[in-house]
Amino acid sequence: MGDEQTYTITELAREFDITPRAIRFYEDQGLLTPARSGRARVYTKADRTRLKLTLRGKRLGLSLAEIRELLDMYGGVRNSASQLERFLNVLATRRAAMEQQRLDIEAVLLEIDMLEQQCHALLGHNAEGAAAARAELARRIDQADVD
């Protein structure tokens, strides 16, 4: 390794605010391959970069298999066309999933709003208000089924 900067598991754990156990898990998953000096793990700048990209991928919601595939495509070549195209496909898939989650969350929040209105109306002994809230909820559910 010569003069190349190296890191200990403790240094990386502290820098990225994760546990050494998480780093060892990423090793077990084939995402990191540190050298050994006796029993101690020795991480290179490339290992640090792979860990940083792994954590970024996790933040994006990518699976460890997807992260490993993207990292393995890297192979020392920066920004190869095949790597970038695959990454764009992964991002598009993730974006579609997140957009669907957002729609699902918005639908649930609307339902919660209607149920709260209905409960407040019933607590206020406002049968007419409760019926209106119930009808609005039914309308929105029917509309969501059509969409």
Side-chain angles (χ1 to χ4, degrees), residues 41-56:
R41 292 166 169 84
V42 179
Y43 297 89
T44 63
K45 287 179 88 172
D47 292 318
R48 182 185 170 280
T49 299
R50 284 179 70 94
L51 178 58
K52 184 176 184 176
L53 293 172
T54 296
L55 296 173
R56 181 178 292 165

Side-chain angles (χ1 to χ4, degrees), residues 75-93:
V77 178
R78 281 188 170 262
N79 303 330
S80 71
S82 61
Q83 182 187 23
L84 292 173
E85 288 170 7
R86 176 64 183 125
F87 189 48
L88 284 171
N89 287 333
V90 168
L91 289 175
T93 300

Side-chain angles (χ1 to χ4, degrees), residues 65-76:
E66 289 171 320
I67 294 168
R68 184 174 41 255
E69 177 188 359
L70 291 168
L71 289 175
D72 289 347
M73 287 178 70
Y74 178 70

Side-chain angles (χ1 to χ4, degrees), residues 102-146:
R102 179 176 25 196
L103 292 173
D104 293 344
I105 289 169
E106 288 173 0
V108 170
L109 288 173
L110 284 172
E111 189 169 341
I112 288 171
D113 288 343
M114 293 299 114
L115 290 170
E116 285 176 338
Q117 288 177 18
Q118 185 178 358
C119 289
H120 287 300
L122 289 171
L123 284 171
H125 304 292
N126 180 350
E128 186 176 307
R134 210 173 9 256
E136 178 64 16
L137 177 60
R139 184 187 69 74
R140 287 181 189 239
I141 290 172
D142 289 342
Q143 182 180 1
D145 289 342
V146 172

